[in-house]
Amino acid sequence: MDIYFIIGISGMVLILFAFFMNQTNRWKNSSLSYDLINLIGSVFLIIYAIPPRAWPFIILNGVWAFVSLRDVITDLRKKR
């Protein structure tokens, strides 16, 4: 098992965890926890997809990371 595989599995688990927490009404779409976990998970999945040059996966998770980062910034500004 190489480091990319571990990073990929970790990213998948993080995104699925955020999805589960949202679907069970423990986290809202607008919560910092939800957005931050999605951001970290998508970045991990981008790292995982780089060596095989899986461009559709990189683009999908790049957009996911961008939207999540935007939401994290918005969440942090609201807390000020």
Side-chain angles (χ1 to χ4, degrees):
M1 203 173 345
D2 68 348
I3 189 68
Y4 288 102
F5 182 76
I6 294 168
I7 290 170
I9 293 294
S10 299
M12 176 200 63
V13 167
L14 288 170
I15 288 178
L16 288 175
F17 177 70
F19 176 73
F20 173 79
M21 295 299 281
N22 178 257
Q23 292 298 304
T24 57
N25 296 314
R26 293 187 176 117
W27 289 349
K28 295 181 180 182
N29 290 351
S30 59
S31 73
L32 177 60
S33 300
Y34 177 77
D35 295 327
L36 190 58
I37 295 300
N38 269 309
L39 174 60
I40 295 167
S42 61
V43 168
F44 281 9
L45 288 173
I46 290 168
I47 293 167
Y48 170 73
I50 288 173
R53 293 189 175 111
W55 289 108
F57 204 65
I58 292 168
I59 292 167
L60 170 70
N61 283 287
V63 171
W64 195 302
F66 176 77
V67 171
S68 296
L69 178 60
R70 183 201 65 191
D71 290 347
V72 166
I73 291 168
T74 300
D75 295 340
L76 291 173
R77 284 184 179 159
K78 285 180 186 176
K79 290 189 182 245
R80 286 185 188 173

